Coordinates of all heavy atoms in Angstrom, one line a residue:
R1259 N 3.2 -14.1 8.8 CA 1.9 -14.6 9.3 C 0.9 -13.5 9.3 O 1.1 -12.4 9.3 CB 2.1 -15.1 10.7 CG 3.1 -16.2 10.9 CD 3.4 -16.6 12.3 NE 2.1 -16.9 13.0 CZ 2.2 -17.2 14.3 NH1 3.3 -17.1 15.1 NH2 1.0 -17.6 14.9
E1260 N -0.4 -14.0 9.3 CA -1.6 -13.1 9.5 C -1.5 -12.0 8.4 O -1.8 -10.8 8.7 CB -1.6 -12.5 10.9 CG -1.6 -13.6 11.9 CD -1.7 -13.0 13.3 OE1 -1.1 -12.0 13.5 OE2 -2.3 -13.7 14.2
F1261 N -1.4 -12.4 7.2 CA -1.3 -11.4 6.1 C -2.6 -10.6 6.0 O -2.7 -9.4 5.7 CB -1.2 -12.2 4.8 CG -1.3 -11.3 3.5 CD1 -0.4 -10.3 3.2 CD2 -2.4 -11.5 2.7 CE1 -0.5 -9.6 2.1 CE2 -2.5 -10.6 1.5 CZ -1.5 -9.7 1.3
E1262 N -3.8 -11.2 6.4 CA -5.1 -10.6 6.4 C -5.2 -9.4 7.4 O -6.1 -8.6 7.3 CB -6.2 -11.6 6.6 CG -6.2 -12.2 8.0 CD -5.3 -13.4 8.2 OE1 -4.5 -13.6 7.3 OE2 -5.3 -13.9 9.3
T1263 N -4.3 -9.3 8.3 CA -4.3 -8.2 9.3 C -3.6 -6.9 8.8 O -3.5 -6.0 9.5 CB -3.7 -8.6 10.6 OG1 -2.3 -8.9 10.5 CG2 -4.4 -9.9 11.1
Y1264 N -3.1 -7.0 7.6 CA -2.4 -5.8 7.0 C -3.3 -5.1 5.9 O -3.9 -5.7 5.1 CB -1.1 -6.3 6.4 CG -0.1 -6.7 7.4 CD1 -0.1 -8.0 7.8 CD2 0.9 -5.9 7.8 CE1 0.9 -8.4 8.8 CE2 1.8 -6.3 8.8 CZ 1.8 -7.6 9.2 OH 2.7 -8.0 10.2
A1265 N -3.2 -3.8 6.0 CA -3.7 -3.0 4.9 C -2.6 -2.9 3.9 O -1.4 -2.8 4.3 CB -4.1 -1.6 5.3
M1266 N -2.8 -3.1 2.6 CA -1.8 -3.1 1.6 C -2.0 -1.9 0.7 O -3.0 -1.4 0.4 CB -2.0 -4.4 0.8 CG -1.8 -5.6 1.6 SD -0.2 -5.8 2.4 CE 0.9 -5.9 1.0
G1267 N -0.8 -1.5 0.2 CA -0.8 -0.4 -0.8 C 0.2 -0.6 -1.8 O 1.2 -1.3 -1.7
W1268 N -0.1 0.1 -3.0 CA 0.9 0.2 -4.1 C 1.3 1.7 -4.2 O 0.4 2.6 -4.2 CB 0.3 -0.2 -5.4 CG 0.2 -1.7 -5.6 CD1 -0.9 -2.5 -5.3 CD2 1.2 -2.6 -6.0 NE1 -0.7 -3.8 -5.6 CE2 0.7 -3.9 -6.0 CE3 2.6 -2.4 -6.3 CZ2 1.4 -5.0 -6.3 CZ3 3.3 -3.5 -6.7 CH2 2.7 -4.8 -6.7
F1269 N 2.6 2.0 -4.3 CA 3.1 3.3 -4.5 C 4.0 3.3 -5.7 O 4.5 2.2 -6.2 CB 4.0 3.8 -3.3 CG 3.2 4.1 -2.1 CD1 2.5 3.1 -1.3 CD2 3.0 5.4 -1.7 CE1 1.7 3.5 -0.2 CE2 2.2 5.8 -0.6 CZ 1.6 4.8 0.2
R1270 N 4.4 4.4 -6.2 CA 5.3 4.5 -7.3 C 6.2 5.7 -7.2 O 5.7 6.8 -6.6 CB 4.6 4.5 -8.7 CG 3.8 5.7 -9.0 CD 3.0 5.5 -10.3 NE 2.2 6.8 -10.6 CZ 1.4 6.8 -11.7 NH1 1.2 5.7 -12.4 NH2 0.7 7.9 -11.9
Q1271 N 7.3 5.6 -7.8 CA 8.3 6.8 -7.8 C 8.9 6.9 -9.1 O 9.6 5.9 -9.6 CB 9.3 6.6 -6.7 CG 10.2 7.8 -6.4 CD 11.0 7.7 -5.2 OE1 11.2 6.6 -4.6 NE2 11.5 8.8 -4.6
S1272 N 8.8 8.1 -9.7 CA 9.5 8.4 -10.9 C 10.8 9.2 -10.6 O 10.8 9.8 -9.6 CB 8.6 9.2 -11.8 OG 7.4 8.6 -12.0
P1273 N 11.7 9.2 -11.5 CA 13.0 9.9 -11.3 C 12.7 11.4 -11.0 O 12.0 12.1 -11.7 CB 13.7 9.8 -12.6 CG 13.2 8.5 -13.2 CD 11.8 8.5 -12.8
G1274 N 13.3 11.9 -9.9 CA 13.1 13.3 -9.5 C 11.8 13.7 -8.9 O 11.5 14.8 -8.5
K1275 N 11.0 12.6 -8.6 CA 9.7 12.9 -7.9 C 9.6 12.2 -6.6 O 10.3 11.2 -6.4 CB 8.6 12.5 -8.9 CG 8.4 13.3 -10.2 CD 7.2 12.9 -11.0 CE 7.0 13.8 -12.2 NZ 5.8 13.4 -13.0
E1276 N 8.6 12.7 -5.8 CA 8.3 12.0 -4.6 C 7.6 10.7 -4.8 O 6.9 10.5 -5.8 CB 7.5 12.9 -3.7 CG 8.1 14.1 -3.2 CD 9.2 13.9 -2.2 OE1 9.0 13.0 -1.3 OE2 10.2 14.6 -2.2
R1277 N 7.8 9.7 -3.9 CA 7.0 8.5 -3.9 C 5.5 8.8 -3.7 O 5.2 9.5 -2.8 CB 7.5 7.5 -2.9 CG 6.9 6.1 -3.1 CD 7.6 5.1 -2.1 NE 9.0 5.0 -2.4 CZ 9.8 4.0 -1.8 NH1 9.2 3.2 -0.9 NH2 11.0 4.0 -2.0
E1278 N 4.6 8.3 -4.6 CA 3.3 8.6 -4.5 C 2.3 7.5 -4.4 O 2.7 6.3 -4.9 CB 2.8 9.5 -5.8 CG 2.9 8.8 -7.1 CD 2.3 9.5 -8.2 OE1 1.7 10.7 -8.0 OE2 2.4 9.0 -9.3
F1279 N 1.2 7.7 -3.7 CA 0.3 6.6 -3.5 C -0.4 6.3 -4.9 O -0.8 7.2 -5.6 CB -0.8 7.1 -2.5 CG -2.0 6.2 -2.4 CD1 -1.9 5.0 -1.6 CD2 -3.2 6.4 -3.0 CE1 -3.0 4.1 -1.5 CE2 -4.3 5.6 -2.9 CZ -4.2 4.5 -2.1
V1280 N -0.7 5.0 -5.2 CA -1.3 4.6 -6.4 C -2.6 4.0 -6.0 O -3.7 4.4 -6.5 CB -0.5 3.6 -7.1 CG1 -1.2 3.1 -8.4 CG2 0.8 4.3 -7.6
A1281 N -2.6 3.0 -5.2 CA -3.9 2.2 -4.8 C -3.6 1.5 -3.5 O -2.4 1.2 -3.2 CB -4.3 1.3 -5.9
G1282 N -4.7 1.3 -2.8 CA -4.6 0.5 -1.5 C -5.9 0.2 -1.0 O -7.0 0.7 -1.5
D1283 N -5.9 -0.7 0.0 CA -7.2 -1.2 0.6 C -7.2 -0.9 2.0 O -6.3 -0.3 2.6 CB -7.4 -2.6 0.3 CG -6.5 -3.6 1.0 OD1 -5.6 -3.1 1.7 OD2 -6.8 -4.8 0.9
R1284 N -8.3 -1.2 2.7 CA -8.4 -1.0 4.2 C -8.9 -2.4 4.7 O -9.6 -3.1 4.1 CB -9.4 0.1 4.4 CG -10.8 -0.2 4.0 CD -11.7 1.1 4.2 NE -13.1 0.9 3.8 CZ -14.0 1.8 3.8 NH1 -13.8 3.0 4.3 NH2 -15.2 1.5 3.4
R1285 N -8.6 -2.5 6.0 CA -8.8 -3.8 6.6 C -10.3 -4.1 6.8 O -10.8 -5.2 6.7 CB -8.2 -3.9 8.0 CG -8.5 -5.2 8.7 CD -7.3 -5.9 9.1 NE -7.7 -7.2 9.7 CZ -7.4 -7.5 10.9 NH1 -6.8 -6.7 11.7 NH2 -7.9 -8.7 11.4
Y1286 N -11.2 -3.1 7.0 CA -12.5 -3.2 7.2 C -13.3 -4.0 6.2 O -14.0 -4.9 6.6 CB -13.2 -1.8 7.4 CG -14.7 -1.8 7.6 CD1 -15.2 -2.4 8.8 CD2 -15.5 -1.4 6.7 CE1 -16.5 -2.4 9.1 CE2 -16.9 -1.5 6.8 CZ -17.4 -1.9 8.1 OH -18.7 -1.9 8.3

């Protein structure tokens, strides 16, 4: 429920690397 109350993000992880931020939004 209430999907619109969440900030959403995309991350990615390559072998041997840390998971990194790719894109995301803000609620405002």
Side-chain angles (χ1 to χ4, degrees):
R1259 299 172 60 183
E1260 300 180 329
F1261 173 70
E1262 65 278 5
T1263 65
Y1264 291 85
M1266 301 298 296
W1268 285 98
F1269 287 73
R1270 67 186 182 186
Q1271 188 167 20
S1272 304
K1275 293 186 177 181
E1276 295 287 323
R1277 190 174 297 188
E1278 64 173 354
F1279 172 81
V1280 175
D1283 69 356
R1284 60 186 183 181
R1285 174 119 187 249
Y1286 175 68

